[in-house]
Amino acid sequence: MGRSAMDKAKGKAKEVTGKATGNRRKEAEGKTDQAKGRTKDTVEGARDRAKGMKDSMRDES
């Protein structure tokens, strides 16, 4: 499990716990952790695409 998936899972657990207990702060922390995980996914995807573009440009030369 990657770091982004762990952030999302941890965040979901916090969010659910916060909702169940009425703890709005814990719920908000969970949503923030999930957003952090999604951001990491986006950055990793962009990095992979950039690497692929770099590799394909190298192959054309």
Side-chain angles (χ1 to χ4, degrees):
M1 183 180 276
R3 294 187 140 236
S4 61
M6 289 184 65
D7 283 334
K8 289 189 283 188
K10 177 179 73 170
K12 190 63 177 176
K14 279 185 182 179
E15 180 184 3
V16 170
T17 301
K19 281 183 181 180
T21 60
N23 185 336
R24 289 185 172 183
R25 181 177 176 169
K26 184 68 73 177
E27 185 178 346
E29 285 176 10
K31 288 180 180 184
T32 301
D33 287 344
Q34 289 177 71
K36 187 187 331 179
R38 288 191 301 272
T39 300
K40 286 180 182 179
D41 280 343
T42 301
V43 169
E44 289 170 9
R47 187 178 299 134
D48 291 344
R49 284 189 299 280
K51 184 179 182 319
M53 288 173 55
K54 178 182 167 188
D55 291 344
S56 67
M57 291 174 74
R58 186 178 300 145
D59 291 342
E60 289 178 9
S61 302

